[in-house]
Amino acid sequence: IFPFVSVNQILLLLLVLTVCAILYNKVHQVPSALKNESVDLESPEEMEEEIPVVICAAAGRMGAAIAAISSIYSNTEANVLFYIVGLKTTIPHFRKWIENSKLKEIKFKVVEFNPMVLKGKIRQDASRPELLQPLNFVRFYLPLLIQKHEKVIYLDDDIIVQGDIQELYDTKLAPGHAAAFSDDCDLPSTHEMVRSVGMQNTYMGFLDYRKQAIRDLGISPSTCSFNPGVIVANMTEWKHQRITKQLEKWMQRNVEENLYSSTLGGGVATSPMLIVFHGKYSTINPMWHIRHLGWSPDTRYSEHFLQEAKLLHWNGRYKPWDYPSVHTDLWENWFIPDPSGKFKLTRPDS
């Protein structure tokens, strides 16, 4: 009887061990789909963050946007998604320009801007009508145009990017700040140019301090201004602080009370931003916004200084696709001719 019992015990023990082994495998087995997913998540291509860059394509200056996009695309390995904002009438032309040039490789979305959102919010001013173009106000409405991104770069069209746009995107925004800008007093090497062409770099140059509503803000007129032609924005904070509504409020007050005008330094798009963001913005590295290249057809920066710059901005009347203008060679390096021939550069011999 003992051998028989021992054989049964051995068989029972083997059976128990087999069942335990099966249960162990079932509990600890990793599904193959989950394994694949984990491999994908660790793939650098999948992890690469998309950098959204917003640029406007306005009628009459589409070549500016083309050159800006060309310079950004050519100087980075980053995963850039261009949001190209235009009016219904200009979008088809711009799309064809991209698709029939070397820019056909870029990732882009075309966004139509409806100028009706500005109705009753812009005071007509004949002195510089170009500043009243609807696309000048696109930067006010970033969260309405760009839905899925936490952080966004906005750039004026009259810029050239010589650095890697990833660096600009990595600009740190302090907690509670909806945007980062460049201070107009940030770079000593630009101060001489500012003085020589009579530019303003304080709030006095943008707001009418004779008006009570401006004095009531309690902002010193000698406060350094900032330039909203290059913006790194946090969309969550922008929406949380209702920045767009605040900007619209000051636009409407200007229509009623003429608090600022395009005869002053920055026109009508800068002034409400100076009010709304006063004391509540982070700063961009000064070399990421070398500006005033369009303020004078005569005053030039040193070539060495411009070569070191990460971003060049021809803000002012004298644009590099027109004549007269300065440092046009740096801009024209990135310009791609219009396949349709509608947009042409203005040059002394043309």
Side-chain angles (χ1 to χ4, degrees), residues 128 182-186 190-209 220-228 261-267 270-271 274 291-292 295 315-316:
R128 290 193 68 188
S182 293
D183 275 319
D184 283 330
C185 309
D186 62 4
T190 66
H191 293 175
E192 187 180 336
M193 176 175 279
V194 168
R195 284 192 296 271
S196 69
V197 297
M199 278 183 294
Q200 292 287 349
N201 61 3
T202 66
Y203 273 56
M204 174 67 89
F206 297 86
L207 306 177
D208 188 347
Y209 276 83
S220 166
S222 62
T223 302
C224 188
S225 54
F226 59 79
N227 186 300
S261 75
S262 57
T263 55
L264 294 170
T270 299
S271 300
L274 291 178
R291 47 209 179 277
H292 314 318
W295 270 89
N315 57 313

Side-chain angles (χ1 to χ4, degrees), residues 82-195:
F82 293 97
Y83 282 87
I84 297 159
V85 187
L87 302 181
K88 193 173 185 178
T89 52
T90 60
I91 286 171
H93 179 194
F94 198 82
R95 189 187 288 277
K96 283 183 182 174
W97 198 333
I98 288 176
E99 291 171 351
N100 289 289
S101 74
K102 67 179 183 182
L103 294 181
K104 61 179 178 289
E105 303 296 328
I106 70 169
K107 286 170 60 180
F108 72 99
K109 290 183 180 178
V110 172
V111 181
E112 183 183 334
F113 184 67
N114 184 353
M116 289 306 292
V117 300
L118 301 172
K119 191 172 182 181
K121 300 184 184 80
I122 301 177
R123 185 184 186 89
Q124 294 306 311
D125 195 323
S127 60
R128 290 193 68 188
E130 74 276 12
L131 295 176
L132 303 177
Q133 294 301 318
L135 295 181
N136 269 344
F137 301 92
V138 161
R139 70 198 92 187
F140 290 15
Y141 296 94
L142 292 176
L144 301 180
L145 299 167
I146 314 301
Q147 301 294 336
K148 65 171 186 170
H149 301 281
E150 168 76 5
K151 197 175 187 184
V152 171
I153 295 173
Y154 166 87
L155 299 174
D156 276 354
D157 60 359
D158 51 356
I159 64 101
I160 289 296
V161 172
Q162 300 186 136
D164 185 342
I165 198 75
Q166 181 77 53
E167 286 180 38
L168 181 60
Y169 185 75
D170 290 341
T171 298
K172 294 283 188 290
L173 272 67
H177 285 176
F181 306 99
S182 293
D183 275 319
D184 283 330
C185 309
D186 62 4
L187 210 57
S189 46
T190 66
H191 293 175
E192 187 180 336
M193 176 175 279
V194 168
R195 284 192 296 271

